[in-house]
């Protein structure tokens, strides 16, 4: 091995981040000084409880009896037949309580917040799935919940807005900047800086200042850990390919992380190409962005040639973010994970195909992963195995899909 | 190291008065008007000029300065043009310190060392980069100090003794004490809290201390000046620009109004 490769490639892909939160050159802690003591406090609490048997037992209890874990690993037989190639399995995290993988993380973080004695929870949300998952655990643990949501997203995700209200959360419409997820995150950070004494910020994706990317990844890694065990039981071996959609990338890192050191497993992350990478209207930070610093971490960002953050676009509100979790940026740079992109149109086709062949209405986010599965499964051998993370159900998206298909409901 | 900041605080000490630090945003409401605002600040009574480098996502700022950033970016300002403004100012004034305040990403994109070199050549004296805490000093703080620009750090109500030591370690020029835990242009601090914070900071540094966040009136400037070496006013000034734009005032009238408020605030230091 040359010196360059030996220094570039770690002994394990699962050893990051370092103690300052860096995955290679990505990650870190780029926040205002007012927040630093709080971030360090979260980190200390996380380090204390992450291996605490009582904490883990409580997390496991709620994951099982409240969320419904483990989620099934399902052989999508009709889809497999139609594609005519590799066997396609769905990791069905859309069957979790609240309909997506997001609750794996909100549950973990609120248990930490409780132990830290925090009295108030804030969160940002784009599609509303993380907002709903946060509002849900806040109701469960009787903590007041404030969710920041872009005015634009409030318009297009009305059902989730109402769900959050039913669960007792206060929704703060964000009109600053471009009124989408990145601005919601800005306003959540502004809230946190103004309420440093009692507030815990539950970040929804594997991004933000250290320790959030690591913490969210670890709470979501239950996905990959279960999938690995379930496939071993069903097929007696590892998959050939695992695949997931990526906005910030929490469901993907959750599936990927337990497999990173299994070198025979090919890993693909699917970004949202919106109207196409050349259109300038997409959310593919890795394919169409450059490294920069936003929301507490260094990562790939969509930005102008003056370093201003650009608006992302995707039909899926959950992928509509101009950045990506820092560990994905690192995995992209070292080449362990391949990142591809899928357009709105391709995702819609996959959405329909999933409804038609499997009787499952997927969220538009995993429909992106499915669209790529549809491209590559036919080229693979029939004895090969794909696991796709079906990370959310599509009830929330039926209005968007109807509009895109030109149908009135 | 650039000496203008040190000399200015020495001069203020000789005059026996606190300083006024004014904050406006480069390119707000447009580059030409912002240049007129900048050029006239010393005559209006600004002792130190803090100029914001616009960013699309100013996370530590309240609504007033967020809007200023958007107005400035909308008018076509860039980081490179921001440095042009400093260069233009230096043709007329070689004494008033200029501190550039902003967020890291535009600099990161521009290139750290290239930015430092260009900022020094343009005539800037220091940097305040909100989202670069001491934990990330390798990024820009160390190269900045090596290049001869001051690295001005923020202390906050959340800085305890140990944290203060960390924050002050690589600070130079002056210390900017953020008097509230919050964002710019919102509530004002209790002067008792500020006084005790300043006492704690003075125990750990000989650098001059400026206090900012929530200072809007000449009376607040005067109160702050009794306990600190300088008072920073930002959102109140930026609001003058917003009101002028909203009322569609002539650009020169906006400049006059802004300098008028600076003069009133400066009276609080004399």
């Amino acid at each position: 091995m040359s010196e360059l490769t030996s220094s570039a490639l770690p002994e394990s892909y699962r050893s990051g981040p370092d103690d300052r939160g860096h995955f290679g050159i990505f990650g870190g802690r780029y926040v205002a000084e007012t927040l630093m003591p709080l971030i360090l406090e979260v980190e200390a609490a996380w380090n204390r409880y992450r291996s605490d048997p009582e904490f883990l037992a409580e997390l496991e209890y709620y994951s099982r009896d409240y969320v419904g874990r483990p989620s099934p690993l399902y052989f999508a037989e009709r889809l497999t037949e139609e594609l005519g190639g590799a066997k396609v399995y769905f990791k069905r995290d859309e069957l979790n309580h609240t309909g997506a993988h997001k609750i794996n993380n909100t549950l973990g973080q609120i248990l930490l917040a409780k132990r830290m004695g925090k009295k108030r929870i804030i969160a940002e949300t784009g599609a509303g799935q993380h907002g709903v998952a946060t509002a849900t655990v806040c109701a469960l643990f009787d903590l007041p919940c404030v969710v920041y949501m872009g005015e634009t997203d409030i318009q297009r995700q009305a059902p989730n807005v109402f769900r959050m209200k039913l669960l007792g959360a206060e929704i703060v419409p964000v009109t600053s900047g471009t009124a989408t997820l990145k601005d919601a995150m800005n306003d959540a950070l502004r809230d946190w800086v103004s309420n440093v004494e009692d507030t815990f910020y539950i970040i929804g994706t594997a991004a933000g200042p250290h320790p959030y990317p690591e913490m969210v990844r670890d709470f979501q890694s239950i996905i990959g850990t279960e999938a690995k065990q379930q496939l071993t039981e069903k097929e007696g071996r590892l998959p050939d390919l695992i695949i997931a959609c990526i906005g910030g990338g929490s469901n993907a890192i959750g599936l990927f992380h337990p497999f990173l050191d299994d070198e025979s497993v090919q890993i693909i992350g699917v970004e949202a190409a919106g109207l196409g990478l050349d259109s300038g209207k997409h959310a593919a930070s890795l394919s169409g962005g450059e490294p920069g610093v936003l929301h507490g971490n260094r990562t790939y960002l969509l930005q102008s040639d003056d370093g201003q953050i650009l608006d992302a676009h995707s039909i899926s509100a959950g992928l509509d973010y101009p950045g990506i979790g820092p560990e994905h940026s690192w995995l992209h740079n070292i080449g362990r994970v391949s990142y591809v992109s899928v357009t709105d149109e391709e995702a819609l086709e996959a959405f329909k195909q999933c409804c038609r062949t499997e009787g499952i209405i997927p969220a538009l986010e995993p429909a992106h992963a499915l669209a790529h599965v549809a491209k590559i499964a036919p080229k693979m051998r029939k004895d090969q195995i794909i696991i796709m993370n079906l990370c959310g159900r599509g009830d929330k998206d039926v209005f968007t899909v109807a509009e895109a298909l030109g149908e009135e409901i | 190291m650039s000496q203008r900041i040190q000399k200015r605080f020495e001069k203020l000490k000789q005059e026996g008065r606190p300083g006024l630090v004014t904050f406006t945003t480069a390119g707000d409401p447009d580059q030409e008007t912002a240049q007129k605002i900048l050029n006239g600040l010393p005559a209006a009574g600004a002792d130190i000029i803090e100029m914001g480098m616009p960013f699309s996502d100013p996370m530590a700022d309240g609504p007033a300065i967020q809007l200023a950033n958007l107005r400035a970016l909308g008018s076509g300002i860039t980081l490179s043009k921001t440095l042009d403004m400093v260069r233009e100012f230096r043709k007329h004034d070689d004494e008033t310190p200029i501190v550039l305040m902003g967020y890291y990403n535009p600099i990161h994109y521009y290139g750290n060392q290239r930015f430092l070199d260009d900022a020094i050549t343009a005539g800037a004296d220091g940097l305040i980069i909100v989202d670069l805490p001491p934990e990330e000093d390798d990024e820009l703080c160390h190269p900045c100090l090596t290049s001869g620009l001051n690295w001005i750090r923020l202390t906050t109500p959340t800085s305890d003794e140990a944290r203060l030591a960390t924050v002050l370690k690589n600070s130079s020029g002056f210390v900017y004490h953020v008097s509230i835990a919050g964002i710019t242009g919102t509530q004002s601090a209790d002067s008792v809290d500020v006084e005790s914070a300043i006492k704690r900071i003075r125990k750990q540094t000989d650098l001059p201390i400026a206090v900012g966040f929530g200072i809007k009136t000449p009376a607040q400037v005067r109160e702050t000046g009794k306990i600190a070496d300088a008072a920073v006013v930002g959102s109140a000034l930026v609001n003058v620009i917003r009101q002028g734009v909203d009322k569609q005032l002539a650009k020169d009238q906006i400049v006059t109004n802004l300098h008028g408020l600076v003069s009133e605030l400066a009276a609080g230091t004399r």
Side-chain angles (χ1 to χ4, degrees), chain A residues 291-294 301 303-309, chain B residues 52-59 69 73 77-80 82-83 101-112 114-116 129-132 140:
Chain A
V293 173
L294 181 72
L301 299 172
Q303 48 186 322
S304 74
D305 58 11
D306 187 44
Q308 308 297 335
I309 308 306
Chain B
M53 300 178 282
F55 183 46
S56 52
D57 295 78
M59 282 155 283
N69 278 275
L73 291 170
I77 197 76
T78 60
L79 188 51
S80 166
T82 299
L83 296 178
M101 172 270 173
Y103 296 81
Y104 185 33
N105 196 59
I107 295 171
H108 184 270
Y109 195 94
Y110 190 97
N112 288 358
R114 178 181 161 227
F115 173 78
L116 293 171
I129 308 300
V130 179
D131 50 355
L132 279 174
L140 193 62

Side-chain angles (χ1 to χ4, degrees), chain B residues 198-213:
Chain B
I198 288 177
K199 274 184 192 153
R200 288 195 297 121
I201 299 166
R202 288 218 197 273
K203 273 186 201 158
Q204 297 205 29
T205 183
D206 295 329
L207 289 172
I209 302 169
V211 172
F213 280 45

Side-chain angles (χ1 to χ4, degrees), chain A residues 263-304:
Chain A
E263 287 184 21
S264 67
V265 179
Q266 191 195 347
I267 307 180
I268 298 180
V270 184
E271 295 189 293
L275 303 180
L277 289 183
D278 298 333
S279 70
K281 288 192 172 302
H282 62 81
S285 320
L286 291 176
S287 310
E290 292 181 63
V293 173
L294 181 72
H295 293 153
N297 57 173
R298 181 194 266 104
T299 192
Y300 278 81
L301 299 172
L302 300 181
Q303 48 186 322
S304 74

Side-chain angles (χ1 to χ4, degrees), chain B residues 32-170:
Chain B
E32 193 190 340
T33 309
Q35 188 76 54
K36 286 182 186 166
I37 289 172
L38 178 64
N39 293 354
L41 284 172
D47 297 300
I48 293 172
I49 292 169
E50 184 188 355
M51 188 162 72
M53 300 178 282
F55 183 46
S56 52
D57 295 78
M59 282 155 283
D61 285 299
I65 294 178
Q66 289 172 37
L67 288 171
N69 278 275
L70 291 179
R71 280 194 302 271
L73 291 170
S75 81
I77 197 76
T78 60
L79 188 51
S80 166
K81 289 177 184 171
T82 299
L83 296 178
D84 289 343
M85 287 185 62
V86 178
R87 195 173 295 114
E88 182 60 32
F89 175 87
R90 281 281 168 251
K91 289 180 185 167
H92 315 286
D93 185 321
D94 197 35
E95 288 179 4
T96 309
I98 293 188
V99 174
L100 295 172
M101 172 270 173
Y103 296 81
Y104 185 33
N105 196 59
I107 295 171
H108 184 270
Y109 195 94
Y110 190 97
N112 288 358
Q113 193 56 50
R114 178 181 161 227
F115 173 78
L116 293 171
D117 294 343
D118 290 357
I120 289 168
T121 311
D125 302 291
L127 296 180
I128 300 175
I129 308 300
V130 179
D131 50 355
L132 279 174
E135 279 72 9
E136 305 292 348
D137 270 356
D138 292 345
E139 294 274 342
L140 193 62
C141 170
H142 294 148
C144 174
L145 292 169
T146 309
S147 300
L149 267 182
N150 287 290
W151 185 258
I152 294 141
R153 201 111 66 182
L154 308 179
T155 57
T156 76
T158 59
S159 314
D160 61 16
E161 307 301 323
R163 187 69 196 166
L164 269 181
T166 309
V167 170
L168 293 171
K169 190 175 165 209
N170 287 313

Side-chain angles (χ1 to χ4, degrees), chain A residues 187-343:
Chain A
D187 270 11
L189 285 165
R190 289 177 186 125
D191 178 313
W192 204 19
V193 111
S194 310
N195 296 284
V196 293
E197 294 298 326
D198 63 346
T199 297
F200 189 98
Y201 180 14
I202 298 189
I203 293 182
T205 193
H210 177 65
Y212 281 96
E214 178 188 45
M215 183 165 67
V216 176
R217 175 199 74 197
D218 287 356
F219 288 136
Q220 292 294 2
S221 288
I222 185 78
I223 299 171
T225 304
E226 284 176 5
K228 198 177 208 178
Q229 192 188 340
Q230 288 165 322
L231 194 74
T232 307
E233 284 162 14
K234 288 173 195 291
E235 301 272 0
R237 67 177 186 91
L238 288 168
D240 297 280
L241 170 69
I242 59 175
I243 184 164
C245 64
I246 300 199
S250 69
N251 94 82
I253 203 70
L255 175 66
F256 296 171
H257 196 256
F259 289 99
L260 287 176
D261 285 336
D262 298 312
E263 287 184 21
S264 67
V265 179
Q266 191 195 347
I267 307 180
I268 298 180
V270 184
E271 295 189 293
L275 303 180
L277 289 183
D278 298 333
S279 70
K281 288 192 172 302
H282 62 81
S285 320
L286 291 176
S287 310
E290 292 181 63
V293 173
L294 181 72
H295 293 153
N297 57 173
R298 181 194 266 104
T299 192
Y300 278 81
L301 299 172
L302 300 181
Q303 48 186 322
S304 74
D305 58 11
D306 187 44
Q308 308 297 335
I309 308 306
L310 298 175
D311 269 340
H313 167 85
S314 168
I315 190 171
S316 146
L319 303 181
D320 205 347
Y321 178 67
I324 184 168
E327 194 163 10
H328 287 295
S329 291
W330 177 68
L331 291 167
H332 168 70
N333 266 20
I334 60 171
R336 174 63 185 99
V337 178
S338 309
Y339 293 87
V340 299
S341 61
V342 152
T343 63

Side-chain angles (χ1 to χ4, degrees), chain B residues 19-39:
Chain B
L20 175 67
V21 183
T22 60
F23 173 90
T24 50
T25 303
D28 178 24
D30 58 68
Q31 190 175 345
E32 193 190 340
T33 309
Q35 188 76 54
K36 286 182 186 166
I37 289 172
L38 178 64
N39 293 354

Side-chain angles (χ1 to χ4, degrees), chain A residues 31-74:
Chain A
V31 295
E33 180 55 35
T34 311
L35 285 182
M36 267 318 293
L38 279 82
I39 303 263
L40 294 171
E41 190 194 351
V42 172
E43 186 191 7
W46 168 235
N47 283 333
R48 177 173 163 200
Y49 290 111
R50 61 191 299 178
S51 52
D52 175 63
E54 254 180 64
F55 177 82
L56 295 174
E58 194 177 0
L59 180 61
E60 198 188 322
Y61 163 74
Y62 284 105
S63 295
R64 184 186 65 233
D65 289 4
Y66 186 73
V67 175
R69 301 212 72 91
S71 69
L73 184 72
Y74 164 73

